[in-house]
Amino acid sequence: MPVDLAAIRDAHERIRPHINRTPVLTSSRLNTASGASLFFKCENFQKIGAFKARGATNAVFALDEASAERGVATHSSGNHGTALARAAKLRGIQAHIVMPSNSAKVKVRAVESYGAHIVFCEPTDGARQSACADVIAKTGATLIHSFENENVIAGQGTAAIELLEDADVDLVVCPVGGGGLLSGNAVAAKSIRPKIKVIAVEPANADDAAQSFRAGRLIYTDKKFTIADGLRTNIGAPTFAIIERYVDDIVTVSEEAIIAAMRAIWETMKIIIEPSAAVPYAAIRERKIDVGGRRVGIILTGGNVDLDVLPWIQPKKD
């Protein structure tokens, strides 16, 4: 199944009963500050608090009965694991989630709350992949990768369908990590409105997508620390092929800009977003994207934040 508009529309129909149709919000203050009309697609109000619910739900409900009976598996320390656990529970099948041993307790509890079977492993990419392969060999479960899966990509693209139904925009700005959200939304947006522009944003400390885009080939990087931890993943080969075809540009932003953008949205729009979700607006604040006079759709990817560790609050000294 190619990831095209038909597949994304099919995904939208399939997942509609199981997800939220999230609102598109605006802010006159942020419009004035940017010199543009900004339309925020608020996936922080999505099930499990992030857009990942779309792709995981589509992938689970697209399985044939025989495959579904054997369950699903993935490796994830974040939102994808929770989203897959939830989708599996909705369909009444088993989910096996491989998580690093140092995963945040709140994330472990979220996966457990949906009845998934958790397998802990060492906190390395190799250990995660090996443990997941072992689970699949023992159970026959279907691997649902967080972004290298066509049904996941198609599910993520449903956010752009809703955005374009609710707002007349000529530019879509989206964060990029592994590339599932970006590639799905780029296909949807360009297919519905061929003249629309799609620009991706990632942290300067995790700039493999930008480097790859400039070079015209995949470049994997060792990631430095970034507060936008959801975007530390290297982009995948399947998603990069789509991005090369459909995305107009990829820009990067500083850690300081991400924090400032996150705080500006919290204070101005009165909504909670996570650092990864602030990355697109950070590019607008840093003037990395020319948005003057344009109508800009911004994907706010999620709102899962540890409220005890906010980036603008300094820890107390003894």
Side-chain angles (χ1 to χ4, degrees), residues 71-118:
V72 292
T74 199
H75 53 87
S76 169
S77 60
N79 293 331
H80 176 66
T82 306
L84 190 65
R86 174 183 179 271
K89 182 177 182 179
L90 288 172
R91 188 158 179 185
I93 63 175
Q94 182 65 62
H96 305 272
I97 312 297
V98 173
M99 303 187 74
S101 56
N102 62 350
S103 296
K105 289 182 173 58
V106 65
K107 294 180 179 179
V108 174
R109 289 196 297 269
V111 172
E112 287 177 334
S113 71
Y114 292 111
H117 172 229
I118 299 177

Side-chain angles (χ1 to χ4, degrees), residues 40 173-177 199-206 226-232 250-263 265 273-289 298-302:
F40 295 88
V173 186
C174 179
V176 57
I199 297 178
V201 189
E202 66 181 346
N205 284 358
T226 174
I227 192 172
D229 59 346
L231 305 180
R232 294 184 72 249
I250 301 178
V251 301
T252 64
V253 291
S254 68
E255 295 297 295
E256 294 77 14
I258 296 170
I259 294 170
M262 180 180 170
R263 182 164 185 163
I265 290 173
I273 64 165
E274 61 196 56
S276 297
V279 167
Y281 182 62
I284 292 172
R285 281 179 61 96
E286 278 200 317
R287 304 291 190 244
K288 293 294 186 71
I289 305 171
I298 298 172
I299 308 293
L300 293 179
T301 48

Side-chain angles (χ1 to χ4, degrees), residues 9 42 63 69 72 87 90 104 127-128 137 140 156 189 214 249 261 265 278 281-282 288 306:
R9 289 201 184 280
C42 294
L63 291 172
E69 287 179 3
V72 292
L90 288 172
R128 286 165 55 141
Q156 317 301 32
R214 302 278 180 270
D249 198 8
I265 290 173
Y281 182 62
K288 293 294 186 71
D306 184 347

Side-chain angles (χ1 to χ4, degrees), residues 22-277:
T22 54
V24 175
L25 301 183
T26 60
S27 165
S28 58
R29 283 177 59 190
L30 297 185
N31 286 350
T32 299
S34 66
S37 297
L38 307 180
F39 299 87
F40 295 88
K41 177 63 171 167
C42 294
E43 289 295 287
N44 52 316
F45 296 135
Q46 188 52 265
K47 299 293 186 180
I48 71 105
F51 75 94
K52 295 281 190 178
R54 295 177 181 270
T57 303
N58 187 50
V60 166
F61 280 86
L63 291 172
D64 60 61
E65 288 298 327
S67 298
E69 287 179 3
R70 295 192 295 270
V72 292
T74 199
H75 53 87
S76 169
S77 60
N79 293 331
H80 176 66
T82 306
L84 190 65
R86 174 183 179 271
K89 182 177 182 179
L90 288 172
R91 188 158 179 185
I93 63 175
Q94 182 65 62
H96 305 272
I97 312 297
V98 173
M99 303 187 74
S101 56
N102 62 350
S103 296
K105 289 182 173 58
V106 65
K107 294 180 179 179
V108 174
R109 289 196 297 269
V111 172
E112 287 177 334
S113 71
Y114 292 111
H117 172 229
I118 299 177
V119 176
F120 291 104
C121 68
E122 291 301 308
T124 66
D125 288 343
R128 286 165 55 141
Q129 293 169 9
S130 177
C132 194
D134 185 55
V135 167
I136 291 169
K138 290 178 179 177
T139 64
T142 298
L143 173 64
I144 307 294
H145 194 277
S146 60
F147 54 87
E148 293 186 354
N149 179 296
E150 290 175 339
N151 286 317
V152 169
I153 294 170
Q156 317 301 32
T158 62
I161 288 181
E162 294 177 4
L163 171 62
L164 296 184
E165 286 176 350
D166 292 346
D168 179 18
V169 300
D170 52 48
L171 168 64
V172 174
V173 186
C174 179
V176 57
L181 178 72
L182 173 61
S183 53
N185 280 272
V187 170
K190 292 277 190 174
S191 300
I192 294 170
R193 299 183 187 174
K195 293 184 179 180
I196 203 168
K197 298 296 183 184
V198 178
I199 297 178
V201 189
E202 66 181 346
N205 284 358
D207 66 343
D208 65 288
Q211 288 192 41
S212 300
F213 192 78
R214 302 278 180 270
R217 61 181 176 84
L218 274 177
I219 296 175
Y220 295 111
T221 62
D222 292 327
K223 301 303 173 69
K224 304 172 187 175
F225 169 82
T226 174
I227 192 172
D229 59 346
L231 305 180
R232 294 184 72 249
T233 306
N234 275 291
I235 199 166
T239 52
F240 182 62
I242 297 171
I243 289 164
E244 279 199 298
R245 179 178 176 185
Y246 289 96
V247 173
D248 294 285
D249 198 8
I250 301 178
V251 301
T252 64
V253 291
S254 68
E255 295 297 295
E256 294 77 14
I258 296 170
I259 294 170
M262 180 180 170
R263 182 164 185 163
I265 290 173
W266 279 49
E267 290 181 341
T268 305
M269 300 182 70
K270 315 304 180 189
I271 60 176
I272 292 175
I273 64 165
E274 61 196 56
S276 297

